[in-house]
Amino acid sequence: MALQAPLTMLGPHFTALPPLSLYIHIPWCVRKCPYCDFNSHERPDGSTGVPEREYIDALMSDLEVQLPEFWGRTIHTVFIGGGTPSLFSAQAIADLLAGVRARTRLSPEAEITLEANPGTFEMEKFAGFREAGVTRLSIGIQSFNDAHLHALGRIHNGTEARRAIEIGLATIGNVNLDLMFALPASRTGGEAQTMVECEIDVRAALAFGTPHLSFYQLTLEPNTVFAKKPPPLPDHDLAADMQLRVEQLLSEAGYEHYETSAHARPGRRCQHNLNYWGFGDYVAIGAGAHGKLTTPGGPPGSGQQAKIVRTERVKQPRDYMQKALSADPASCVFERREVTRGEVGFEFMLNALRLTEGFPVAWFSERAGYPVSLVSRALDEAEREGLLVRTHEVVRPTERGQRFLNRMLEKFLT
């Protein structure tokens, strides 16, 4: 899509719009995990169900009010996250995706991911998700060790985790496993995760041969139970050794380490997350959902400037539904802000430098809207410290840069 020339060099200028994705947030879960800082809420009043119909109606109202901002653009990926989206029935997910297809230009080849908790797996239900159009599952395993699962507050055990993977592979096939390392000791006794236990988890995951694996170090995020009452964790050196060992074992098994925490078999990388890391655009609907959209601006003299806009919806599910279904559905937006010239370098690098193979230099001007000279000083400093390497075509973090990613990113905070 060819766009107009910039009105002023002070603002961004885009020669083409970036790829577009859709994120849908389903906020409910069976139980809130003590390490979780996502916008998730236990099911209302301890019930066994969630207000599926009302929430889907709110999602569609939220989507419709945003249509003018991305009208005519193709959505290439959909990610249904949470919370625990697999709490929804197969019919509810079918209705949700049918509503998206009726209102947007969703690519027939779109990657459609659903997050799932092993405690919610039923063969018939997940076959229904496949029939609804889900093409990829992301299963929150975290560990196969019952003691560590208990310490993490998970509702499933190792046997249920294995059964969930088997059902996921049998029904949908394209499966990602989320796992953690550097796990805590239980408050009721036991020890923090050892290197041997970490390796056992990795080998258990590899035994299933899923096309994608994500391994995260457990971190104590603000405003979580673990942050207020930290559990005993492996020390820093052991955690770093665990990360290296995880990466080594996955590499030996044929997985490509293509992002800080993501590993995939050749050709099986997560397209939705790649769009995030490539500073693409994403429409977001649902309680607490965060979105990013690029606006090209109008023709010369129109006064319509090009811009990148970030949005966040209200977090409480009941408040979100009330506002999205009111006479003013746009009121479900809690915050709307334009990314400034001073912020865009950091925001771009926060995503793109997670890619182990780096990013094309041209992406910065194409997707941030400014010449790469805007961040040349920070790039120079990071290169001098051995945190990244670059050519005229590519910027890539070194192994040192991957280990000290936050230190590198601080250089772009201007």
Side-chain angles (χ1 to χ4, degrees):
M1 181 185 296
L3 306 180
Q4 297 293 329
L7 293 175
T8 172
M9 292 307 293
L10 293 178
H13 168 56
F14 302 96
T15 57
L17 291 173
L20 182 66
S21 296
L22 171 64
Y23 176 74
I24 303 171
H25 192 75
I26 296 179
W28 292 285
C29 52
V30 175
R31 185 171 64 206
K32 180 81 171 181
C33 296
Y35 60 84
C36 178
D37 68 336
F38 295 141
N39 184 41
S40 58
H41 304 263
E42 294 187 9
R43 291 181 293 197
D45 304 320
S47 68
T48 58
V50 290
E52 292 180 343
R53 185 69 262 165
E54 184 181 2
Y55 193 69
I56 291 172
D57 288 344
L59 290 172
M60 293 303 100
S61 178
D62 187 0
L63 182 61
E64 287 173 359
V65 80
Q66 296 185 71
L67 287 176
E69 300 181 60
F70 65 92
W71 190 254
R73 296 174 65 181
T74 298
I75 293 174
H76 297 283
T77 68
V78 178
F79 197 101
I80 307 172
T84 306
S86 54
L87 285 177
F88 268 37
S89 66
Q91 185 59 55
I93 296 298
D95 292 344
L96 170 61
L97 292 175
V100 170
R101 292 188 187 95
R103 291 165 174 82
T104 68
R105 181 185 288 178
L106 179 62
S107 169
E109 293 79 36
E111 174 193 83
I112 301 177
T113 302
L114 177 82
E115 285 189 330
N117 185 309
T120 63
F121 267 74
E122 302 166 10
M123 179 71 78
E124 183 177 351
K125 183 177 186 180
F126 278 77
F129 289 154
R130 180 195 61 208
E131 294 302 316
V134 173
T135 66
R136 184 175 181 272
L137 281 181
S138 184
I139 309 176
I141 300 295
Q142 315 314 351
S143 176
F144 294 94
N145 182 303
D146 287 352
H148 292 139
L149 287 170
H150 180 264
L152 290 170
R154 303 296 288 176
I155 65 170
H156 67 276
N157 58 33
T159 300
E160 289 169 325
R162 290 176 171 84
R163 178 60 177 155
I165 299 169
E166 292 170 354
I167 292 174
L169 289 170
T171 55
I172 294 176
N174 188 11
V175 172
N176 166 65
L177 306 182
D178 274 347
L179 294 107
M180 292 179 170
F181 62 89
L183 301 179
S186 170
R187 295 185 184 281
T188 58
E191 296 181 353
Q193 188 180 39
T194 65
M195 178 65 81
V196 170
E197 289 171 331
C198 175
E199 288 191 12
I200 289 173
D201 269 352
V202 176
R203 296 186 189 281
L206 287 172
F208 288 97
T210 60
H212 198 284
L213 293 169
S214 299
F215 272 86
Y216 305 91
Q217 181 178 344
L218 175 65
T219 54
L220 306 186
E221 301 292 346
N223 302 315
T224 63
V225 173
F226 274 2
K228 296 173 184 175
K229 298 180 180 179
L233 296 173
D235 64 41
H236 178 78
D237 289 340
L238 178 55
D241 289 343
M242 286 180 179
Q243 180 176 353
L244 292 172
R245 185 60 174 150
V246 167
E247 293 171 1
Q248 178 188 6
L249 290 172
L250 268 60
S251 176
E252 291 173 353
Y255 286 80
E256 299 170 342
H257 183 200
Y258 70 99
E259 185 271 340
T260 301
S261 304
H263 308 255
R265 295 201 177 277
R268 306 303 293 273
R269 300 180 181 190
C270 176
Q271 297 305 304
H272 185 88
N273 285 344
L274 280 174
N275 192 40
Y276 286 153
W277 299 320
F279 208 57
D281 278 355
Y282 44 98
V283 179
I285 56 176
H290 292 251
K292 168 190 171 286
L293 280 175
T294 301
T295 301
S302 69
Q304 298 175 354
Q305 294 277 5
K307 56 189 174 182
I308 299 171
V309 175
R310 289 197 177 276
T311 55
E312 179 184 355
R313 268 109 189 104
V314 295
K315 292 185 176 181
Q316 289 295 327
R318 179 54 55 185
D319 291 345
Y320 169 79
M321 287 186 284
Q322 288 176 345
K323 291 179 182 295
L325 294 171
S326 71
D328 180 19
S331 64
C332 72
V333 176
F334 169 73
E335 182 181 30
R336 183 182 182 91
R337 69 174 184 85
E338 183 176 341
V339 179
T340 67
R341 180 187 180 96
E343 296 169 333
V344 73
F346 173 76
E347 293 209 7
F348 178 92
M349 297 298 174
L350 179 66
N351 292 278
L353 286 176
R354 293 180 65 91
L355 295 168
T356 59
E357 296 168 1
F359 61 89
V361 173
W363 274 9
F364 191 84
S365 59
E366 292 170 0
R367 301 183 181 186
Y370 294 93
V372 73
S373 58
L374 183 71
V375 291
S376 59
R377 180 179 296 180
L379 288 171
D380 289 342
E381 290 181 6
E383 189 171 26
R384 281 196 298 270
E385 293 184 21
L387 298 171
L388 60 79
V389 293
R390 56 179 170 154
T391 66
H392 292 299
E393 296 180 346
V394 176
V395 175
R396 178 178 60 80
T398 60
E399 287 190 15
R400 174 179 168 81
Q402 293 172 40
R403 296 283 175 264
F404 298 97
L405 182 59
N406 288 340
R407 175 176 172 180
M408 178 162 53
L409 291 172
E410 287 174 357
K411 299 182 183 303
F412 297 92
L413 282 170
T414 58

